[in-house]
Every structure is written in structure tokens, then in C-alpha cells.
Amino acid sequence: MPEPTSPPAAAHAPGRPTLEAIARAAAVSLSTVSKVLNGRPGVSAETRGRVEQLLHDSGYARRGLDPERGGLLELVVADLTSEWSMEIIRGVERVARESGLVLGLSALDDVSRPGADWIAGVLSRKPVAVVLQFSDLTASHRRQLRTRNIPVVVVDPAGDPPADVPAIGATNWAGGVAATRHLLGLGHSRIAVISGPPDMMCSRARVAGYQSALQEAGLALDPAIAAAGDFSRASGEREARRLLGHDDRPTAIVCGNDLQALGVMDAAFALGLDVPGDVSVVGFDDVAPALWARPPLTTVRQPLQEMAEEAARLALRLRAEDVENTRLELATSLVVRSSTAAPR
């Protein structure tokens, strides 16, 4: 009987997989695998998907320095004009400069779901690492970046990232507690809340802290003075007009961020109310406009620049070594200014 022929070398053969083995398993040329790996065009979606899956299943990952890769540290933000984003940019840029790298910026319309154009651009640019603002990556995106040894760290995650996605956040629950305790300590008992989007983890955590502080003081949550916005100044003003426009209005409002708090102050002034005489206002973040407001805004400081720096440093460490603890929350702190006072 003729001897059975040996099967073609599989991409998952013992030892570190090679691109030649992956090309044989995918029944394509080595140049096609190289195109997929480097994010270049000229490969059909079906072939690209097959090669990507083989790269993932084989455990292939680039190691060491890529001679084609420039010194680029990429940051993905939602809005290049917002104070929140500017704080994140400053933090990542500082680490990039210290590390001899160039900061690359990408602004996405929908940071919660970056699409195919974004991932293709990243693979083409070959950054040494990526810091994402608010973004959740699909499993496919994570596989593609991991295969190419492009570490990704999320800063201030909107949701609960998968276990294999490193993230740097802040103690949002503790911040909500601190803001509410401050108002309780001043003597307020009818304290409203205007949160950010309910589907965002940081919003829910801040509201949970607010609720916990009320319960600790023996006060029940009143749904009539609980509202939600979208972290914009306009949504803060809109919800505050509703909350403050009746006789049984709250004497204080805890806001999901500083922009919403500024919107609350706009509404109060439009209604002829004094801040803090008629209503005390607390924000969250401590971005620059909080200090410029009149009166200056009491707020919970979220260490945005420090969070961005930690995210960038972690991303660069992950290129060179295994890191056990890839989740970190930095402490928030209450900054008391002139927008809060004892109720009349």
C-alpha cells in the first residue's frame, strides 16, 4: 500500500508559528499574508477574514521592534474641541514626548463602535500602541491588534470592557458619594441629580454613589428630582429648568459632569434664582471652565491628565512585557468652591 501523504504544515504546528506556515494553511501567497498583517489593500474580505482567523488561532504575534513601524503613539478621542478631550490629549502627549514618540490623533464620530475604516487605518499607520477614549473594541479588532503587537488601553471606559482589555478609570462611585455628602453636610435634604447617559458605566456609578450617600443619611431617593442628560451643557439646562420650575424645587443639584453643572447654573439665572443662595450646584471632572464659572463651580476632580498618562505608560509597557494588573482606578477628590452653600 502506498504510504499516506503528510498533511500540509498547519499554522498551529508546535513552536512559534511562521508566516510561511500560515500562508500554506490559508492556501495563499506569503505576500497576501503580509498584506493582511500590515493592513494593506488588495485582499478580498473572505481571504482577509480567513488569514486573520489563522493568525489568531495559531497564536501568532509580532515580537520586538518592527523596522517598518514609526515612533507613533495613537490616541482616539470623541471630540477634539471638548475640555475633557483636551485634558486626555495633554496627558498622552506628555508621555509620548518623554518616550521620544510622536502623538497621533484620531477623532471618531462614534467612539463606542469604531468601524472598519478606523481599524484599517491603525494597521496601516502601525503605531507602537493605542489609547482609546471611551471606546469598546470588537473581538475582531482586539484579535487584529494583538496579532500585530499593538497594545490598546482604554481610558475612562464607557462600559465594562472585556477582561482582556486594559483600562484606566476613576473612582466614580466615591466621587458621587463625596459630592452628595458635601451637600448633606451643608444642611441640604432635597438634593436632585442630573446624570450623564444611563448606558455609560461612569454615569451609573456616580448616581449609585449619590444614592448611597442619601441612604446613609436616612433619605429616600425621590424619582421626581432625578434626571438624565447627555453630558452636554444644553441637557443640564433643559433638565434644570424642569426641576427648578415648580414650587417644591430642590435646594441642591448633583450633576454628571461640569458642563451639565454649567447648564444648571444657566437655567437658575434664567429663572431668577441665585447660585448658591437658592440652589447649590456640584459638577464632576474639574475641567477649566469649572474655575472660570461665576460663581466658581464646586466639583469632583477626576484626574484626567493623570489617567491619560497612566493609560499611555501602560500601553507602552504592554509592548515590552507581561503586566499582571491592567485595570486601575485613580482617586477622585472634592474641590469646594463658591457654587455651594447652606440652604436658606
Side-chain angles (χ1 to χ4, degrees):
M1 293 180 59
E3 294 185 3
T5 56
S6 301
H12 56 270
R16 185 174 186 270
T18 64
L19 294 185
E20 290 85 352
I22 290 168
R24 286 195 297 271
V28 297
S29 67
L30 183 59
S31 65
T32 297
V33 175
S34 178
K35 285 181 180 179
V36 172
L37 195 58
N38 292 294
R40 292 198 291 266
V43 182
S44 70
E46 179 184 358
T47 300
R48 187 177 298 275
R50 186 166 73 251
V51 172
E52 289 283 5
Q53 191 63 50
L54 283 165
L55 287 167
H56 171 70
D57 292 346
S58 71
Y60 178 87
R62 279 182 165 164
R63 295 290 181 234
L65 296 176
D66 183 347
E68 295 185 9
R69 190 175 300 192
L72 180 69
L73 176 59
E74 181 150 342
L75 170 63
V76 182
V77 297
D79 180 4
L80 288 172
T81 64
S82 76
E83 284 295 329
W84 199 103
S85 293
M86 290 308 299
E87 291 294 292
I88 298 296
I89 291 169
R90 290 183 186 106
V92 176
E93 193 278 332
R94 184 175 296 119
V95 173
R97 188 172 64 251
E98 291 172 355
S99 305
L101 302 172
V102 175
L103 176 66
L105 281 175
S106 297
L108 301 180
D109 293 332
D110 184 0
V111 290
S112 63
R113 299 193 181 282
D117 290 345
W118 175 76
I119 191 67
V122 171
L123 301 184
S124 172
R125 290 187 290 273
K126 301 185 183 71
V128 296
V130 176
V131 176
L132 297 177
Q133 174 195 15
F134 279 126
S135 296
D136 291 327
L137 293 176
T138 66
S140 174
H141 288 169
R142 298 199 302 275
R143 284 198 301 268
Q144 291 178 71
L145 293 168
R146 190 177 300 116
T147 297
R148 292 152 179 85
N149 193 23
I150 303 176
V152 173
V153 176
V154 178
V155 60
D156 200 9
D160 187 12
D164 63 339
V165 176
I168 306 294
T171 54
N172 289 294
W173 180 87
V177 169
T180 312
R181 281 180 178 168
H182 169 65
L183 295 170
L184 290 166
L186 290 171
H188 293 274
S189 58
R190 188 158 176 77
I191 304 171
V193 63
I194 302 176
S195 75
D199 61 342
M200 293 182 64
M201 184 172 64
C202 60
S203 295
R204 297 194 302 273
R206 292 168 194 177
V207 172
Y210 156 84
Q211 292 174 321
S212 180
L214 289 182
Q215 291 170 356
E216 182 182 62
L219 299 174
L221 173 68
D222 183 355
I225 55 173
D230 59 6
F231 280 148
S232 70
R233 187 167 185 160
S235 71
E237 181 178 5
R238 180 189 67 239
E239 296 304 323
R241 282 180 176 271
R242 181 178 64 80
L243 292 169
L244 298 173
H246 51 78
D247 293 337
D248 191 23
R249 64 175 180 255
T251 62
I253 301 179
V254 174
C255 301
N257 72 346
D258 290 341
L259 285 181
Q260 286 183 317
L262 295 176
V264 169
M265 294 168 70
D266 292 339
F269 299 147
L271 293 170
L273 300 176
D274 178 68
V275 176
D278 295 308
V279 59
S280 288
V281 183
V282 182
F284 205 110
D285 281 343
D286 196 25
V287 293
L291 185 59
W292 304 336
R294 289 294 175 266
L297 181 66
T298 294
T299 187
V300 176
R301 181 179 183 271
Q302 187 173 207
L304 296 173
Q305 286 195 38
E306 293 91 332
M307 289 161 58
E309 290 174 13
E310 288 294 334
R313 290 191 180 103
L314 175 58
L316 295 177
R317 283 179 61 201
L318 288 168
R319 261 190 62 76
E321 60 184 277
D322 293 328
V323 181
E324 286 189 13
N325 185 9
T326 59
R327 295 291 178 93
L328 181 64
E329 286 190 343
L330 301 190
T332 52
S333 57
L334 183 70
V335 180
V336 179
R337 297 193 179 105
S338 305
S339 68
T340 52
R344 286 177 177 171

